[in-house]
């Protein structure tokens, strides 16, 4: 008689999640990354990109409200807030938002957008990975903590802090499928020297880790598609900054990038089809019988 197959424990899922993270590309330089995200925050968006941004925010807030009502006056912490994709529409609902990001320039863009939207958002420039919640008096301080597509929770220890800061719910989102991106598919192996990893399933490790703890998270996956058209030089600058995050950008590598972008340009403009699939999750942090089970396993 065969032995019954044992269920994975929370520790097992943490171990598998850690193994998945090791397949993701490593960042080589911090400063180019700061410059890259600042430029993306400051750039002008065309009508298609603005519409996609609004659609994404509406989908996320609608999904959250099916589990956690966004009533005026509740306190929300947006970890890795960027230029306010979620912070601003949250504040427009009367929610008290604290937006945290490691880049002061990006937060300045958020503050400018918040003024234009006539909402107040408290901004904190700090690295979530280094924050001591006790020092900030943030332990169980927020009704909802959100972390959407941010490297700030790229380790398990920093992910656990989301629950520690929340007294009720946590929202987490990451990509769940490879992007359909011609430039990335062509340039990555030429510049980095290896095929780009196609795995983007981190959100599912989190779901199963929660399930093994007795927590049933609400999950939704949705896809946003649009076309972005920009001037040749703007696209070139973006790719220079992006690939500088992962490697030293030699003159030879710059020439490779320039040729690939030039081949797709028409009349000095470059059109890029964008397709992104996001996995969103929300759960109540006190819904498990043993809320300390996540202390098992790696916290690297």
């Amino acid at each position: 008689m065969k032995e019954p197959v044992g269920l994975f424990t929370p520790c097992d899922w943490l171990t598998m999640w850690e193994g998945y993270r090791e397949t993701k590309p490593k960042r080589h330089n911090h400063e180019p990354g700061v410059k890259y995200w600042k430029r993306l925050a400051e750039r002008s968006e065309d009508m298609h990109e603005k519409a996609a941004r609004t659609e994404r925010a509406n989908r996320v807030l609608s999904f959250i409200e099916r589990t956690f009502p966004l009533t005026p006056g509740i306190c929300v912490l947006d970890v890795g807030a960027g230029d306010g994709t979620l912070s601003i529409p949250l504040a427009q609902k009367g929610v008290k938002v604290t937006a945290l990001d490691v880049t002061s320039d990006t937060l300045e863009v958020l503050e400018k957008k918040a003024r234009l939207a006539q909402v107040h958002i408290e901004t904190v420039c700090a690295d979530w990975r280094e924050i001591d919640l006790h020092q900030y008096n943030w332990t169980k301080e927020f009704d909802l903590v959100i972390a959407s597509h941010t490297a700030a929770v790229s380790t398990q220890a920093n992910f656990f802090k989301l629950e520690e800061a929340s007294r009720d719910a946590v929202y987490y989102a990451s990509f769940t499928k490879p992007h359909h991106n011609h430039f990335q598919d062509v340039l990555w192996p030429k510049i980095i020297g290896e095929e780009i990893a196609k795995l983007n399933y981190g959100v599912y490790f989190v779901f199963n880790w929660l399930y093994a703890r007795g927590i049933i998270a609400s999950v939704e996956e949705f896809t946003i598609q649009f076309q972005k058209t920009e001037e040749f030089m703007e696209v070139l600058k973006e790719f220079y900054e992006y690939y500088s995050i992962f490697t030293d950008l030699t003159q030879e590598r710059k020439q490779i990038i320039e040729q690939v972008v030039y081949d797709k340009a028409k009349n000095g403009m470059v059109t890029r089809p964008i397709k992104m699939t996001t996995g969103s999750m929300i759960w109540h942090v006190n819904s498990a019988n043993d809320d300390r089970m996540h202390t098992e396993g790696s916290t690297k």
Side-chain angles (χ1 to χ4, degrees):
M1 181 176 179
K2 291 184 178 181
E3 292 291 327
V5 178
L7 296 175
F8 287 127
T9 67
C11 185
D12 292 329
W13 284 111
L14 290 180
T15 301
M16 287 186 279
W17 187 20
E18 184 70 22
Y20 154 75
R21 291 196 312 104
E22 291 300 317
T23 69
K24 296 176 73 67
K26 304 296 187 295
R27 296 181 179 237
H28 178 72
N29 295 311
H30 174 70
E31 191 58 35
V34 171
K35 185 178 180 182
Y36 172 74
W37 289 113
K38 176 191 175 185
R39 201 187 71 79
L40 289 187
E42 292 178 332
R43 77 191 189 285
S44 298
E45 298 174 321
D46 64 22
M47 59 180 294
H48 301 291
E49 191 168 3
K50 285 181 180 178
R53 182 186 180 103
T54 300
E55 180 186 357
R56 176 190 161 200
N58 289 341
R59 291 285 297 269
V60 169
L61 267 58
S62 175
F63 168 69
I64 290 174
E65 288 197 289
R66 291 200 292 273
T67 297
F68 184 86
L70 295 170
T71 54
I74 66 169
C75 297
V76 176
L77 173 64
D78 187 356
V79 177
D83 62 341
T85 298
L86 296 180
S87 288
I88 291 173
L90 280 166
Q92 289 173 324
K93 286 182 170 289
V95 171
K96 295 179 181 178
V97 180
T98 299
L100 179 142
D101 202 275
V102 72
T103 310
S104 60
D105 292 327
T106 303
L107 287 177
E108 287 177 7
V109 176
L110 183 153
E111 290 166 353
K112 179 180 178 180
K113 290 182 176 181
R115 287 193 294 271
L116 291 173
Q118 298 183 323
V119 295
H120 172 72
I121 295 175
E122 181 181 351
T123 58
V124 177
C125 185
D127 189 338
W128 176 254
R129 297 168 296 185
E130 304 297 330
I131 277 182
D132 183 332
L133 294 180
H134 296 287
Q135 185 177 0
Y136 275 71
N137 294 319
W138 278 3
T139 302
K140 300 300 178 186
E141 177 67 15
F142 301 94
D143 299 294
L144 172 67
V145 177
I146 66 178
S148 178
H149 300 284
T150 174
V153 293
S154 59
T155 69
Q156 292 169 10
N158 296 322
F159 191 90
F160 297 156
K161 286 162 68 174
L162 300 175
E163 288 194 339
E164 292 167 11
S166 174
R167 54 177 168 248
D168 196 336
V170 174
Y171 169 84
Y172 171 68
S174 70
F175 295 119
T176 57
K177 292 180 181 177
H179 297 357
H180 291 271
N181 186 323
H182 165 79
F183 290 104
Q184 190 80 311
D185 291 342
V186 173
L187 282 173
W188 188 271
K190 290 178 180 289
I191 303 301
I192 306 302
E194 60 185 35
E195 292 298 320
I196 189 166
K198 294 297 184 182
L199 290 176
N200 270 294
Y201 309 130
V203 70
Y204 297 121
F205 290 109
V206 176
F207 175 86
N208 284 293
W209 166 65
L210 289 167
Y211 185 82
R213 292 169 54 204
I215 297 175
I216 309 299
S218 297
V219 181
E220 180 176 86
E221 184 179 87
F222 61 87
T223 299
I224 301 293
Q225 298 185 71
F226 62 97
Q227 286 198 142
K228 181 162 62 172
T229 301
E230 296 174 291
E231 294 181 354
F232 171 82
M233 288 305 301
E234 285 300 304
V235 177
L236 202 59
K237 288 178 184 177
E238 177 183 330
F239 287 160
Y240 284 168
E241 291 167 1
Y242 177 76
Y243 283 99
S244 292
I245 301 172
F246 300 99
T247 189
D248 292 323
L249 202 58
T250 63
Q251 190 60 37
E252 180 184 0
R253 287 169 175 157
K254 286 184 177 181
Q255 289 174 350
I256 292 172
I257 293 172
E258 182 175 352
Q259 186 61 55
V260 170
V261 176
Y262 178 80
D263 289 343
K264 285 291 181 179
K266 291 183 179 179
N267 300 320
M269 304 297 289
V270 180
T271 297
R272 292 183 276 172
I274 306 295
K275 182 178 180 180
M276 302 179 294
T277 302
T278 289
S280 293
M281 296 175 47
I282 187 167
W283 66 96
H284 293 281
V285 297
N286 297 317
S287 58
N289 293 327
D290 182 2
D291 199 44
R292 298 284 66 183
M293 289 176 69
H294 65 261
T295 57
E296 302 177 13
S298 170
T299 56
K300 290 191 288 182

